[in-house]
Amino acid sequence: MTYSNILVEYHEQIATVTINRPKALNALNTVTLQELSQVVHDLANNSSIRVVILTGSGEKAFVAGADIAEMNTKTPMEARSFSQLGQRLMNLIESLPQPVIAAINGFALGGGLELAMACDIRLAGENARFGQPEVNLGIPAGFGGTQRLPRLVGSGRASEILLTADLFDAQEAFRMGLVNRVYPKEDLQEQAMAMAKRIAAKAPIAVQLTKSAIYKGANMDLISGQDYEAEVFALTFHTEDRKHGFRAFLEKTQTEFLGK
């Protein structure tokens, strides 16, 4: 499928999804949100893809935020619908069976940071800049930022970021645990692909169930989360990959996981 604002490339078992509005610093307008939602839906049903990389086009921005020019004329009811459209996309990404790596290659502000937070792993270039500057515009974050940011960095740090609208760099994002790793900007995409390949080489059913346990467990109490973990643990004992993995370990040989 051809999209107006999204590029999708496939490298063996890895899909790279690029938001492609460089002149607008990849800002998220309605069309872009809708196209991203369609891409994520399609990937969820594509069993040949084991890992997804999400990034932005150009050298300046991952996603600089939601499209302010489009939002400027919205009524309150239209604003609610726009917020819910963004929230649905973030939920789709978070619940995607495949792990999603955000390769943050520049500004990740407002909706851009919210998009990155919906991903499982966040890698940043040294040039990346982060923030939730919505209160500068007289609005709160609307794509899940008030909910995901406290869960990732704690309520105190999240409150500071959301209420001051201060921007911060990649090293600060790393120190607070918002991003997993920071790389020179020219190495970011290569490092994201290298990590994606390492994950893609693992047993895909086990990877997907691990992601599911992390995602669902975050919204459960500890005992319920452990119960869910035990169930997905047991499910993998039906798989051929589990048998091959055990055999390879015991016989000290290599195996290729087939997702069965």
Side-chain angles (χ1 to χ4, degrees), residues 13-232:
Q13 298 160 321
I14 298 162
T16 299
V17 178
T18 304
I19 297 98
N20 187 35
R21 298 187 72 209
K23 291 182 179 179
L25 297 180
N26 303 321
L28 300 173
N29 61 5
T30 296
V31 171
T32 306
L33 292 170
Q34 291 171 336
E35 290 186 348
L36 272 172
S37 297
Q38 184 61 55
V39 169
V40 173
H41 179 270
D42 292 344
L43 289 171
N45 294 296
N46 188 342
S47 60
S48 68
I49 297 301
R50 296 187 180 184
V51 184
V52 178
I53 297 172
L54 182 61
T55 193
S57 64
E59 298 182 355
K60 294 183 178 180
F62 171 69
V63 170
D67 193 312
I68 306 304
E70 180 183 320
M71 287 196 294
N72 185 46
T73 59
K74 290 189 182 299
T75 67
M77 291 300 293
E78 290 170 340
R80 175 186 288 169
S81 295
F82 187 67
S83 172
Q84 292 172 335
L85 176 63
Q87 289 173 355
R88 284 194 296 271
L89 169 62
M90 308 313 163
N91 293 340
L92 281 172
I93 292 170
E94 200 168 51
S95 60
L96 192 68
Q98 302 94 332
V100 183
I101 299 171
I104 305 165
N105 54 315
F107 288 111
L109 307 178
L113 180 51
E114 290 165 311
L115 182 65
M117 288 191 291
C119 299
D120 301 288
I121 297 170
R122 287 164 289 281
L123 308 179
E126 289 177 335
N127 63 321
R129 296 276 288 173
F130 301 84
Q132 295 282 172
E134 287 89 347
V135 294
N136 285 336
L137 300 169
I139 59 176
F143 290 171
T146 63
Q147 305 306 306
R148 285 190 177 86
L149 192 56
R151 287 167 166 80
L152 287 169
V153 303
S155 61
R157 180 58 67 89
S159 295
E160 178 183 346
I161 292 167
L162 288 158
L163 298 176
T164 67
D166 289 345
L167 305 190
F168 50 97
D169 63 18
Q171 291 297 337
E172 181 62 22
F174 175 74
R175 283 191 288 270
M176 71 176 72
L178 186 58
V179 301
N180 297 72
R181 298 178 186 273
V182 178
Y183 297 106
K185 64 178 183 179
E186 61 271 16
D187 296 338
L188 175 63
Q189 301 300 335
E190 180 181 348
Q191 292 291 342
M193 181 60 71
M195 180 176 286
K197 287 180 178 179
R198 293 200 300 277
I199 296 171
K202 312 305 180 187
I205 296 172
V207 168
Q208 291 179 13
L209 289 174
T210 297
K211 172 174 176 172
S212 176
I214 294 168
Y215 171 64
K216 292 183 182 296
N219 297 297
M220 296 178 181
D221 61 80
L222 179 61
I223 300 302
S224 298
Q226 289 181 153
D227 287 343
Y228 183 78
E229 180 185 78
E231 291 302 315
V232 299

